[in-house]
Every structure is written in structure tokens, then in C-alpha cells.
Amino acid sequence: MGSASEAFRLIETGGEPRLHPALDYALCLPLLLSRYSLDSVPFLVRYPQTGTVLKYLELDFRLIQRQVKEELQLEKQNIGNVTAASRARLLEMGTAEERAQVVLFELTKLLRDYEEQDHSQSRRRRRQDSTLIGNPLYRQELAVLLPILRALRSLQDPAPLIASIVLNNPTEFSRTLDSLLDTDDPYNNSKAILLKLCKLADHKIWSIRQRLVDRKVFPNLAIELTIEHCHDEICFMNRILRGQPEWLTNGVDPVTRSSLSSIMEFVFSSLNDELTSEKPDNVAVNRLLRILSGMVGLMSLSLSAEQLEISLGVLEMTPLVSGTIDVKICVILMCASQLLKYSQTRIERVLHMLIACHDSPQTLQLVVYFQLQQLLKIDDFASQSLSMTIVIPRGGLMELSALFISLFSSKELATCALQIGRPPATPTSITSTNTSAVSTPTPMPMSTLKASTVSQVQESSQSASELRSTANYLVGYLLQQDVFHKSAIDVRTWVMEQIQASTVPLDTNMIHLLRAYTAATARSKHITRIPESEIRTFFSDPSEDLTPAKVLLVLYMLMYNDVCIASLGSYNMERTQEYDATLLEYVQIRKVFVYVVNFEGGLAFQAVQPMFLKLVYAQFPELFDVTTLLLEEGLVTSSSTTLPEASVVQPIPHSEDAGVFMELHIKAIVHHLEDPEAAVKGYHAFQRLSQKDRQTMAGDIIRASLPSLLNPGSDPSVMEAFKRTWDQLNSVMPHELWALTIHALLPQSQVSTYAYQSTAAHPLGQQLAVQQRPSQPPRAEYYTFECLAQDPLLLFKVDFRVFRSPIVFRLFVQILGSVMIGSRHWFRKRFHALQSILQSQQNRNPAQAQRRQFKEANLSAMLYIQDSVLIQLMLEACQARPEDVVDRPRSANGHMGDSGYGATKGTHGKDGKKIKDSFASQMDEVSDALKEVRVVTFNFLHLLFIDHKIFPKLVHFQGYALDLLPITVAGIDSIHVCMDFLQEILFANSPASASTSGSTGSTATSGGAAGEDSNRVDVSPQVFALRLSAQLCERFPLPNTMQMATDFILPKLRSLAASTGFAQDVLESAVVLAKAFPSMSGEIVDLLQEVSGPHDKMALMRTIEAINEVLSDPAVLDKSLL
């Protein structure tokens, strides 16, 4: 049918048949004679069917169709007399019109029968060809009719008829194919029809095969077309197996053994050719091995001895390049059972060759997967390498698993893992032939060189990154399995190189490696930590910009310290030594922390961010101060702060010019009292420097600013500019900045006389000295954060003007809060270290007598005392000094202006002194600076009391100045917690020898006899507690506080009034209590009258007057809820 195919191609492409009379047009006569007259195509006369076709073309088919319909209707009613035999005679001997009528009748009946069968639920019945349908003229004559293909497929052999129809209707070729492929094949003849169409139009075979591939049908036909016509077996099978392997194994039309045998013979023939070739084509070998792996894995084919020999030869002889190694491993996995039976020794040799390849860690990966019994990951590896979804035969896989686990030694695995991605070592002996083969490459054109260089760099960078990630996972796993310990191989240098080569986004396997490495250093004496000297060298200039490598190195130190803390008291304790805290301060842990959180919106280090934050919080909890974090968030969101024009126009200098650039600005800051505007510009200029320059010059800017800014004449704009600068530095170098600030705030007489002796003064004493490192550097002439954490009381050696400079005091409080947190952490960490050491020593030598130990309860008590002392010092700083009192203009009634807390007239006590009410401390106005300092202090105490509920109890049991009680109760929002222990503090008796009158700021006396009896109990703490109770009732006049007043505050008032002889502080408390609960004023007055003596009448009278005067104010009555 070659000539007929050429004729079809000519007609389909719009060619001119009259120019090619030699072609076979026998099947195209209806189409040609309908287009041309017989005179224009005289060469068609040679066909005997030409006359018949001409007769049919002259018929009126519309009239014939009406006659056929009528005859079918009569036949349906059993009226017609025409039989099948008579129709056959008409078809052979009748006129053209009779023949056309017979053909139309049969075709219409066939279509009607097909439609009835299609709608019925019964199984379709194959229709046998009748005498009419089988007549040779039928195929010729039917070609001029409509192509009713679906009906024709019910015939016994419809392929020739459909081919004839398509040949006479070239435009219907694609529709015919779609009809055959899209519909079901109930008669199982679609493949035969497709073959007929392929022979009819051999130029469309590639298109037909592609349609088969796209629809995933008739794989045998596709393979047959490939072998007989397309002749691209390797490329075709490689493409099919890469993307659609399930097509070959579907249950509708699976590939037959004959087709597989044809393909496999061709594959092994091609492999043998490549094996015997002088220069084998690696790409071709990869394709052939992929086909071999896919077909064996999918079809479970058994290979002959000759085929196994060829396979082993290819595995042994072909070069080990990156792409080939994956496919070779897949061949071994798929054919494992057959190859091991054929020659296990040669397979072992191949595996040793594969694992030694530096650029392909796949073999080592399989070792890990086999040890972990992760067979699904091995399937994933094969599917990814072959680009097909495939499951490795489990029988051979289990045999191979045993071989992999036993084949490689620990040293071989460790060595291979450390060489992944590294260039191979230069061979010591190279033959002369190989040496002579090396020649200087010919220079490439510049344009070609640039394009190729860019693509090569991108590919090599991606490949190197993938290799590093794989190596990180494998080395981490081998560290967990102690493979390097058994091989006595230290991975310290290798880990450091991996850290230095890290990029973003961060490789998650790097975390796995660091976790395994830090744990291994605690278990193995052969695996050492990264020395501090190397870390300091890597961070030679901490002010430089951060990199992913620096972040990972800091993360490693945090993880290592965490492991050291966990291993305290174990047998491995001698091998683990924490990195010094000063080292982590040197690398500026806060700067790294901010970088991890904010760099690229936090996405770059998303894999390590939770772990990093957890470790930083565990080892540096002071960095998570709420105030600092809120300020830092403000700096981040308002980074584009508008600066004055004078500072904006100045260019940001380079690092080498920063010192010269800031010299004049620093002088302006020093002389800020003379020119505040120039000082503000100086701070703005500093803020615009690069982060590196700001860190380098931080000490200069702090020393230039403090303590001169403590001068009361400092301009507020200068103070605000300094605080903004300080906050900016605090976000990257807090520890160093805190120490610099405290050092700069010391009085000038103490700056050069620093002698740190506070550690030995603590109860831990010599026990904590065990933890001191033997090679510590000599102490500097200034404070460090570690010094401050060991003795927070050093902070209060600063110039007292700090406590009257609100902005600087805010910074002081911020430092104090962080130092308090750091101090608690430092002492607890040292305590647990000491306990672990002592416990370890006792476990090793149980017979040793147990020494008296410093218990955790002692440590908690020590820390509580330390913190309470700090709080007491803060409260002491809030007391007004003579210089804090400010004269205010008096109001019309003769009193001083209201301070905001209110002011009332006072009464006089028994001793003639004026009895103050609850706001007596505010009767003398204080400076605005002290007021702001008090607000800052009370807010700080408010947070402390919330976080540590024992602090308010400790502080109020110790007591403080009574003059501060009204403002502390009014200013500390969390002071309400004191109501939980009011009864306890009211009825706590304190011996006189254990109390000091200075703690309360006054002494309760009873005439002159109070101090005569040395055995008499000091009631000043109870007087303080009574005043505290009264102030709390005044601020919180609630039903529960009123009940407390009734139950135990009034009884204590009665007792103290009698025992102190109507002391002034007791009477003041009575006035405050009456002001809190006006309804109880009568009861309070009656109580005082009951216990008053002859000498107390005057004090009683004036107290009653004070109560009445307080209650005469309508605001007091309106304020009271009860």
C-alpha cells in the first residue's frame, strides 16, 4: 500500500493528482471523480471501478434515502417482500440506482441496530458480515456515502471499509483517530483499524504514536510502530519510563512478552556496543541502564546469563560520573537477586568503587537507609533517579541490605563521608601516558566563555550546595552511630569548614549535624570541640556584618554549652568545658539574635529560629527584657526616622573616615550645655553611621555623654537624642553597653579605683571558686556584665544624680532589671554545676563522708535577700531630700497647691506634732524630676511584684519609710497582692534587737517610757503594717477589705493605740482608715475613746477633729463605695 499511501499524502496536503498519474488512486476514485471530470483525469480510466463510481455520482441520493426509509418502515411492519437474497442479486445485477438503494438500506439498518444495542443494557453482539456487506463493490460504493464510523465498527472486519472512507475524506483523518481512541472498544478491533490507518498514512505514524502516548492506550501498538517504523527504541522507551511507566503495566492492554523481548534484545545489543567501544557514550549508557532498570523493576524480567554478564561489564567498565552512578545503583537495586546469584564478588567490587566516589554520596546514603530499615526512602531514591514511580523488588532488596551492612568498615564509611564534595587527593604516581595526555586547553571566545561560565557557576553552586546538605546528613548520622569514635577520626575541622560554607536559606541538615557533633564531643575523646581561638579569629571584628556562617557558629556554641550543662555530673564531664560567657558576649549574642529574627523577614533562618531563641533564652535570659524588646520593635518599625535637614544632607562616611567624621560631633556632645543643637546633630550623625562604625565608637559616645548629661541644665532634646542612640546600640551590643554605661556613671573618685571583691562575699564562697577557669585574663579597670551579675549592688555605686535625671534613670532601671535576671541565672547555673560535681564525686566514692552542702533553699534565700535589698535601695532613692522640695504658690485657703494626691489640714498628736493624713508625704511639693523617677520606679516594681509574688512580702516585712507608703500604694498597681499577707504582717512580733527604727522611718513611742524597758517588743514593724493596711483599704475600698478591717485591722489599731500611747503614726492610720470607710468612722472613734487615758485626751480630740474634717469633704463620701 506504499503507492496508495503516497496518493493519500498528496491529496491530504492539497497536491495536484494530475501531476502524479503514476500513483495508486484506486481507493480515491469517488473523491477524485467528484472533483474532476474524467476528461481532466484520463489516467483513471485504467481502473474498472471508474464507470461504477460515475454512475453513483449521477444518482439523486435524497430520493433514494426517502425510498429506503419507506422500505425500512414496511419491513418493520412485516409488509415488505424483499429478502436478503433478492437484495444480493440486485447488488450484483441491478442498475446503479438499485445498487445504491440496497447499500443505503443495509447501512441504515446497520446504524439502527447499533443504536438499539448501544442503549440496551444487554451485552453487545458482534454482527456477522452479510453477503451484501462482504461484496467487494460495497467498499467502493460506500465510499461516496457519509462516514458512519461508529456503526461500521460492529462489522467483523471494518478496517478496510473505514480506511476507504478516510481515504476519500482526508479531513476526517484526525476525527477518525480521536473517535477510535476516545471511545470504548467493545468489539476489540480498534488496534486493527489503527494499524490499517497507519499503513494507509505512514507519514502520520509519529503523530499516531504520540496520540497513543498522550492517551496511555495500546502500548504494544506504540512499541510495534517504534520498532517497525520509527526506529528510535532507546529514546522512546527512555521517555516512556521516565514519565509514564504505569502505561506499560495497565490491566487493559499490558505490554506482551514479545514486545519486551524485542526491546530488551535491542537494549543489551546497544549496551554491548557501548562496552566494546573505545569511547563509550555516557549519555547513551545512562539511557540504556535506565530502560534496563525500569523494565526489570516494573515487569519483573529474568535476565539470561549473557545479559547479566553484559550488565556487570557495564557496571565495572564505564566511567564513574555523577549521572551514571545513580543509574548504576538503580540497576544493582532492581537486579540485586539475579546479580548476587551470578557473581557476589564482582558486585562487592562495584560497590567499593561507588562508595569511594567523592561527588556521589548515594551509596553511603543507601548504607544509612539500610541500617535504619527505611526501605521506602530507597524506593524514593530509585524513583527520583529513574524519574519514574517504581517499587524495588523486596526479595533482592533484603539480600542487598545484609550485604551493605556487613560490607563496609567504620573507617571506610567515615573517610568516604568526610570526602563528599571535596576534590579527590592528587595521586602520588601518574603514568607517563596520563601525564602526556594533559594539554593546555584552547582559549574560548569571550562571549561563549561568559555564557558558559555563568551557567557553569550556577550549576556547580547548586550541586555543591546539595552535596554539602547530603554530607551534613550523613556525617550527622555517622556521628550518632559513633562511627567516627570507632575510627578515631576527629571531624572538628570538617564541621568548621561546613559552617563557613553555609548559605541562606539555611540547610536543615546543618542543624542535624551540629546536634550530632555537640553530642558526640561529650561521648568521645577523639572528637573535640572547636577551639575558642578559632572562633575569636573568625569573629576578628565583631562589629562587622553578620553572615550565615557566623550565625551557625554562635548556634553551635549555644548548643555545645547546652550539652555541657546537661552532662554535668556525668563521667564525660571532664571532656566538656563550656565556652566562656565572655566569648559569647564578645561575638555580641544580641546582635546575632536580632539578625536571626529580622533578616529577610525571618524566613532565611526559619529552620533554626525556634531552637536559637530557646537556647538564647536558656543561657541569656536577660536579653529578653520586655522593655528592650518593645523598644527594639519600635526601632525596627520606625527605622526611617526623620532627621533634621542639616544631618540628612551630610553623606554617610566610609569606615576609615568615621573617626575623623565624628571627631567634631563628639566635641559638640561633650559641650552640649553650650550648644544643644550641635550636640543633637552629633547624635544624629552617629545614628547614621554603619553598624560596624557605631559599635566601634560606642565607648567614645558613652564617655562623651556621661556623666555630663546628669547636669540639671541639660537640654531635653539632647537627652532624648542620647536615649535614642543608646537604644540603637542596645539592640546589638547590650552587655558591653550596660557595662560601659554603669562605668561612665560612677563618681569620678571611683572610676580609677575598681576592685571587685563581691563574689567571695556571697555564701557560695569557696564552693563556686571551683567553677572558675584557671586561665582567666586579668581583671580590667572597668565593670563587665559578668561582674555586675555576680554583684548587682555595684550598680548603686553610680552618681546619685542618676536618681534625679529621669531619662538616664530609665536606662539605669532597664540595666538593673536585666542584671537582676542575669544574676539569678548566673548563681543558679553555678549552683547546679557545683551540685552536679559533688553528686558525681559522691557516686564515684560512696564511702566518702558527705560534706555540708549549700542547698538550693539557701541559694533561693540568698537571691531573695539580694533582690529585696535592691528594691529597698530603689525605694530609698525615691525619698525626698531637702534639695528635692520645691516651693509652690499657695492656694486661696492658705494651703499649698494640690500635688495631685490631695492635701488636707492636719491635727496635732499628743506630743504637739502635726498629725498627717494619708497624703502627708505630698504636703511639701517635690521636683518634677523626682516625681518622674518615682513613676519609673513604681512601674518597675509593679512588674517585679507580678513576676515574683514573694518580693512584695519580703519588702513589706522588712519595711521602709512610712512617708513613702502613700505614694507606693497609689503608684504600684500590683500592690494589692499585699492584702494576701496583711493579717500575717500585722500580728508578726519582732524583737527589738532584730529591728531598726530606720526601716520604717519613725519610732512608735509612748511618752518617755517606750524606750525604758529593754525587753519591750519593738512595735514599729506592726505600726508600718497598720499604716500599710490603712492605705490599702483607702485605695481598694471593697467589701473584702472592709471585712478585713473589721476582723483584724481595727483590733490591731486598738492594741497599738494602747501600747504606743496614741503615737502619731497610729493616729494617722486611724484617720486614713476612716477616710477609706466613712461608715466605720464612728466605730473608730469609739475604739480610740475606749483605750484612751487621761494623758491622751488632747491627741484623741485632735484626731476626731481630723476625721470629721476629712469626712466633711463630699468627694471623700462620693469616692467611697461602702
Side-chain angles (χ1 to χ4, degrees):
M1 198 177 285
S3 182
S5 177
E6 291 293 328
F8 177 76
R9 180 187 302 183
L10 179 67
I11 295 173
E12 183 191 27
T13 56
E16 180 56 60
R18 291 174 292 184
L19 300 178
H20 304 276
L23 297 179
D24 185 6
Y25 297 107
L27 298 178
C28 306
L29 290 176
L31 178 64
L32 295 179
L33 291 176
S34 64
R35 291 183 179 180
Y36 307 102
S37 64
L38 187 59
D39 296 336
S40 61
V41 285
F43 53 87
L44 296 182
V45 179
R46 67 176 183 264
Y47 299 108
Q49 301 93 340
T50 301
T52 305
V53 171
L54 289 173
K55 292 179 181 180
Y56 279 108
L57 291 176
E58 296 173 355
L59 297 177
D60 185 358
F61 283 94
R62 293 183 180 179
L63 177 61
I64 296 175
Q65 287 176 355
R66 286 198 301 269
Q67 295 175 354
V68 168
K69 289 182 180 180
E70 294 175 359
E71 187 173 350
L72 284 173
Q73 188 68 23
L74 293 174
E75 183 182 17
K76 188 175 182 180
Q77 298 175 4
N78 296 324
I79 299 175
N81 297 323
V82 181
T83 62
S86 62
R87 290 196 185 95
R89 285 194 300 272
L90 287 175
L91 186 62
E92 295 177 0
M93 303 173 60
T95 63
E97 183 176 357
E98 292 174 340
R99 291 183 178 182
Q101 185 175 358
V102 170
V103 171
L104 279 176
F105 179 85
E106 290 290 337
L107 183 60
T108 306
K109 188 176 181 181
L110 177 65
L111 180 60
R112 186 187 63 184
D113 295 343
Y114 178 83
E115 291 176 349
E116 290 177 355
Q117 293 178 12
D118 190 30
H119 289 88
S120 65
Q121 299 297 328
S122 60
R123 185 176 179 181
R124 293 176 179 174
R125 178 177 55 83
R126 283 289 300 271
R127 173 166 179 158
Q128 301 295 330
D129 290 352
S130 65
T131 308
L132 301 178
I133 300 291
N135 192 288
L137 283 178
Y138 180 76
R139 300 172 188 172
Q140 305 281 334
E141 294 153 356
L142 190 60
V144 299
L145 305 177
L146 297 176
I148 311 176
L149 301 177
R150 294 180 61 186
L152 296 178
R153 289 180 64 183
S154 64
L155 299 177
Q156 184 71 27
D157 185 17
L161 185 57
I162 292 177
S164 178
I165 293 175
V166 174
L167 188 61
N168 284 274
N169 297 271
T171 57
E172 301 296 325
F173 190 88
S174 295
R175 275 179 41 184
T176 304
L177 285 180
D178 294 337
S179 176
L180 292 171
L181 298 177
D182 292 340
T183 58
D184 297 333
D185 189 13
Y187 305 111
N188 199 22
N189 54 13
S190 295
K191 183 178 178 181
I193 298 173
L194 289 172
L195 277 174
K196 194 72 174 179
L197 293 176
C198 289
K199 293 178 180 180
L200 173 66
D202 55 3
H203 63 286
K204 289 185 173 291
I205 287 179
W206 292 82
S207 175
I208 294 174
R209 190 182 70 171
Q210 185 60 42
R211 289 172 184 256
L212 298 178
V213 172
D214 293 340
R215 289 171 170 79
K216 298 181 181 180
V217 293
F218 304 119
N220 285 298
L221 177 58
I223 294 176
E224 183 178 342
L225 295 176
T226 301
I227 296 174
E228 295 182 0
H229 300 280
C230 299
H231 306 295
D232 61 341
E233 293 86 347
I234 301 302
C235 293
F236 176 73
M237 291 303 300
N238 184 59
R239 179 163 61 93
I240 295 303
L241 291 173
R242 180 186 292 271
Q244 302 170 334
E246 68 279 359
W247 179 37
L248 302 177
T249 57
N250 66 73
V252 178
D253 184 29
V255 177
T256 59
R257 290 290 174 178
S258 59
S259 299
L260 291 177
S261 300
S262 302
I263 294 294
M264 293 301 290
E265 289 177 3
F266 189 87
V267 168
F268 279 103
S269 175
S270 302
L271 279 174
N272 192 37
D273 293 341
E274 295 294 341
L275 188 61
T276 56
S277 174
E278 295 181 0
K279 294 182 179 180
D281 185 358
N282 292 330
V283 175
V285 172
N286 288 349
R287 291 175 178 176
L288 293 169
L289 291 180
R290 180 177 286 108
I291 294 173
L292 173 60
S293 302
M295 296 188 71
V296 172
L298 292 171
M299 312 297 178
S300 302
L301 298 180
S302 297
L303 305 181
S304 63
E306 180 182 0
Q307 292 174 338
L308 290 172
E309 180 64 32
I310 295 175
S311 301
L312 284 172
V314 172
L315 295 176
E316 293 172 334
M317 303 300 293
T318 53
L320 292 176
V321 295
S322 181
T324 307
I325 291 178
D326 293 351
V327 186
K328 284 186 176 183
I329 294 176
C330 290
V331 172
I332 296 175
L333 292 173
M334 299 301 172
C335 310
S337 181
Q338 302 179 57
L339 290 174
L340 289 175
K341 291 179 182 179
Y342 185 76
S343 179
Q344 181 173 339
T345 305
R346 296 173 67 181
I347 288 295
E348 292 176 357
R349 183 164 60 248
V350 171
L351 291 176
H352 280 293
M353 293 167 54
L354 292 174
I355 201 171
C357 185
H358 297 171
D359 293 334
S360 295
Q362 292 85 344
T363 309
L364 189 56
Q365 277 184 294
L366 290 180
V367 175
V368 174
Y369 294 155
F370 279 128
Q371 289 183 356
L372 297 175
Q373 293 296 312
Q374 295 179 343
L375 302 185
L376 293 179
K377 285 194 174 182
I378 301 178
D379 290 338
D380 294 339
F381 164 78
S383 298
Q384 184 177 2
S385 300
L386 299 175
S387 299
M388 66 180 76
T389 303
I390 195 168
V391 177
I392 303 172
R394 287 298 184 259
L397 196 60
M398 300 309 296
E399 297 179 21
L400 202 60
S401 173
L403 177 63
F404 265 79
I405 294 174
S406 62
L407 181 60
F408 306 107
S409 64
S410 296
K411 187 171 184 179
E412 186 177 8
L413 293 175
T415 304
C416 293
L418 296 181
Q419 290 177 350
I420 294 175
R422 267 54 172 182
T426 304
T428 56
S429 60
I430 303 177
T431 62
S432 59
T433 304
N434 293 337
T435 304
S436 62
V438 179
S439 60
T440 304
T442 304
M444 298 175 61
M446 185 57 65
S447 59
T448 306
L449 181 62
K450 289 183 179 180
S452 61
T453 301
V454 172
S455 61
Q456 289 176 3
V457 167
Q458 293 176 348
E459 293 177 0
S460 61
S461 176
Q462 182 179 5
S463 176
S465 177
E466 293 176 355
L467 281 176
R468 282 197 304 270
S469 176
T470 304
N472 291 338
Y473 171 77
L474 295 176
V475 173
Y477 172 77
L478 296 180
L479 282 168
Q480 291 175 342
Q481 301 300 314
D482 291 331
V483 172
F484 292 96
H485 170 71
K486 297 174 185 176
S487 308
I489 297 177
D490 194 357
V491 298
R492 182 194 72 199
T493 304
W494 187 90
V495 171
M496 189 64 180
E497 292 175 358
Q498 293 294 98
I499 291 176
Q500 293 175 348
S502 297
T503 57
V504 290
L506 212 58
D507 175 28
T508 54
N509 287 329
M510 194 69 206
I511 313 305
H512 166 71
L513 171 65
L514 293 180
R515 186 182 287 112
Y517 171 58
T518 52
T521 54
R523 297 194 308 267
S524 173
K525 62 181 180 180
H526 302 295
I527 302 174
T528 59
R529 72 172 190 169
I530 301 175
E532 290 189 6
S533 58
E534 290 187 20
I535 297 176
R536 289 186 181 272
T537 302
F538 194 70
F539 284 90
S540 57
D541 187 357
S543 60
E544 291 180 348
D545 292 337
L546 290 172
T547 61
K550 291 182 178 180
V551 172
L552 281 178
L553 197 55
V554 172
L555 177 62
Y556 155 73
M557 288 190 288
L558 294 171
M559 295 173 68
Y560 182 83
N561 284 357
D562 190 58
V563 170
C564 292
I565 295 172
S567 62
L568 287 173
S570 65
Y571 293 98
N572 302 323
M573 187 177 58
E574 292 79 1
R575 291 196 296 271
T576 56
Q577 185 179 19
E578 283 187 70
Y579 287 107
D580 192 21
T582 57
L583 175 61
L584 285 164
E585 293 177 17
Y586 171 76
V587 302
Q588 297 176 351
I589 185 70
R590 180 52 181 260
K591 176 182 174 181
V592 181
F593 163 68
V594 175
Y595 180 77
V596 168
V597 173
N598 296 326
F599 183 66
E600 293 186 0
L603 298 178
F605 299 99
Q606 190 174 11
V608 302
Q609 194 174 117
M611 178 188 297
F612 194 90
L613 297 181
K614 177 183 177 182
L615 292 172
V616 172
Y617 180 76
Q619 299 179 35
F620 298 92
E622 67 274 4
L623 297 181
F624 288 82
D625 174 61
V626 176
T627 303
T628 304
L629 293 176
L630 291 176
L631 288 172
E632 179 184 305
E633 183 68 21
L635 287 174
V636 172
T637 55
S638 60
S639 57
S640 58
T641 305
T642 304
L643 302 179
E645 292 185 6
S647 62
V648 173
V649 296
Q650 298 176 356
I652 299 177
H654 297 289
S655 296
E656 59 269 15
D657 303 328
V660 179
F661 173 77
M662 285 298 302
E663 184 175 356
L664 294 178
H665 291 299
I666 290 179
K667 290 181 180 179
I669 292 173
V670 173
H671 299 92
H672 66 91
L673 294 175
E674 302 171 6
D675 190 355
E677 185 176 352
V680 172
K681 292 180 181 179
Y683 284 119
H684 288 164
F686 179 82
Q687 294 170 15
R688 293 171 57 247
L689 294 176
S690 66
Q691 188 178 93
K692 176 181 177 181
D693 294 332
R694 289 199 304 270
Q695 292 177 240
T696 304
M697 303 186 66
D700 297 333
I701 204 74
I702 295 298
R703 285 188 290 269
S705 305
L706 301 174
S708 62
L709 287 177
L710 297 178
N711 193 305
S714 299
D715 191 271
S717 62
V718 178
M719 301 288 291
E720 188 63 33
F722 167 72
K723 183 180 183 302
R724 193 173 303 164
T725 302
W726 194 91
D727 290 335
Q728 191 181 51
L729 291 172
N730 189 47
S731 66
V732 292
M733 46 182 298
H735 290 127
E736 185 178 356
L737 180 66
W738 298 339
L740 286 171
T741 304
I742 297 300
H743 181 74
L745 291 174
L746 291 174
Q748 296 300 317
S749 60
Q750 299 183 21
V751 171
S752 59
T753 59
Y754 165 58
Y756 181 67
Q757 302 291 340
S758 59
T759 301
H762 280 286
L764 286 175
Q766 299 297 325
Q767 298 186 53
L768 286 180
V770 177
Q771 298 301 311
Q772 299 294 334
R773 285 174 170 72
S775 59
Q776 285 186 341
R779 295 195 181 276
E781 292 295 329
Y782 53 85
Y783 291 152
T784 63
F785 176 75
E786 189 172 4
C787 299
L788 299 176
Q790 294 177 32
D791 188 2
L793 295 176
L794 293 174
L795 271 70
F796 287 88
K797 290 186 177 182
V798 298
D799 193 325
F800 185 78
R801 290 181 297 171
V802 171
F803 303 100
R804 294 300 180 265
S805 177
I807 291 183
V808 179
F809 182 71
R810 288 179 185 274
L811 304 182
F812 175 83
V813 170
Q814 190 172 339
I815 296 174
L816 175 62
S818 300
V819 169
M820 291 176 67
I821 296 174
S823 179
R824 289 193 290 268
H825 173 73
W826 188 89
F827 278 105
R828 290 195 179 278
K829 181 179 178 182
R830 294 300 183 274
F831 170 77
H832 290 303
L834 177 62
Q835 293 295 100
S836 300
I837 293 173
L838 295 177
Q839 186 65 36
S840 176
Q841 293 174 352
Q842 185 177 357
N843 292 338
R844 295 180 184 179
N845 189 6
Q848 183 179 2
Q850 185 176 2
R851 296 182 299 173
R852 184 177 180 182
Q853 297 183 7
F854 190 84
K855 298 181 180 180
E856 187 168 5
N858 304 126
L859 174 66
S860 298
M862 184 196 76
L863 294 177
Y864 289 148
I865 292 173
Q866 172 182 278
D867 292 338
S868 65
V869 170
L870 296 175
I871 296 174
Q872 291 285 2
L873 291 174
M874 292 284 289
L875 292 172
E876 183 179 340
C878 292
Q879 285 188 267
R881 295 189 173 192
E883 59 269 21
D884 297 322
V885 178
V886 178
D887 292 334
R888 301 289 185 184
R890 294 182 176 271
S891 58
N893 58 5
H895 297 290
M896 292 182 182
D898 192 359
S899 66
Y901 293 100
T904 60
K905 291 183 179 180
T907 59
H908 292 78
K910 179 179 179 181
D911 53 1
K913 294 182 180 180
K914 202 169 188 180
I915 300 178
K916 302 176 183 178
D917 66 354
S918 60
F919 305 111
S921 60
Q922 295 297 318
M923 291 184 66
D924 295 328
E925 283 290 342
V926 296
S927 63
D928 293 335
L930 179 56
K931 289 181 180 179
E932 190 170 350
V933 165
R934 286 175 172 174
V935 171
V936 174
T937 302
F938 296 157
N939 289 337
F940 174 71
L941 295 181
H942 166 65
L943 297 178
L944 275 183
F945 289 175
I946 290 176
D947 293 338
H948 308 277
K949 291 187 176 182
I950 195 173
F951 284 174
K953 187 173 184 179
L954 286 175
V955 171
H956 288 90
F957 263 87
Q958 294 168 357
Y960 50 87
L962 279 175
D963 290 344
L964 289 178
L965 262 177
I967 56 176
T968 55
V969 173
I972 303 175
D973 292 334
S974 56
I975 197 71
H976 61 84
V977 299
C978 295
M979 290 190 293
D980 296 337
F981 53 84
L982 268 185
Q983 186 174 6
E984 184 180 357
I985 194 174
L986 275 172
F987 294 94
N989 293 325
S990 177
S993 59
S995 306
T996 59
S997 59
S999 64
T1000 61
S1002 63
T1003 305
T1005 59
S1006 177
E1012 296 177 359
D1013 189 1
S1014 60
N1015 296 324
R1016 190 171 183 178
V1017 176
D1018 182 12
V1019 296
S1020 56
Q1022 298 180 23
V1023 173
F1024 175 85
L1026 178 64
R1027 184 61 177 274
L1028 173 65
S1029 304
Q1031 296 293 159
L1032 288 173
C1033 289
E1034 182 190 9
R1035 183 172 181 188
F1036 306 103
L1038 303 173
N1040 61 331
T1041 52
M1042 187 174 184
Q1043 186 65 39
M1044 292 167 62
T1046 303
D1047 292 343
F1048 51 83
I1049 296 178
L1050 287 180
K1052 177 56 67 175
L1053 175 62
R1054 172 197 292 270
S1055 172
L1056 289 177
S1059 61
T1060 61
F1062 276 52
Q1064 175 184 344
D1065 295 331
V1066 176
L1067 296 180
E1068 289 177 2
S1069 300
V1071 175
V1072 173
L1073 192 61
K1075 184 178 180 180
F1077 302 115
S1079 60
M1080 297 179 63
S1081 58
E1083 187 177 354
I1084 295 173
V1085 171
D1086 294 342
L1087 181 148
L1088 293 176
Q1089 290 175 345
E1090 290 177 6
V1091 298
S1092 63
H1095 302 288
D1096 304 326
K1097 297 300 182 181
M1098 184 64 67
L1100 175 62
M1101 181 183 65
R1102 290 173 178 169
T1103 302
I1104 294 173
E1105 291 178 358
I1107 293 175
N1108 293 332
E1109 185 174 355
V1110 167
L1111 297 181
S1112 64
D1113 186 0
V1116 174
L1117 297 176
D1118 293 340
K1119 180 181 177 182
S1120 177
L1121 301 178
L1122 302 174

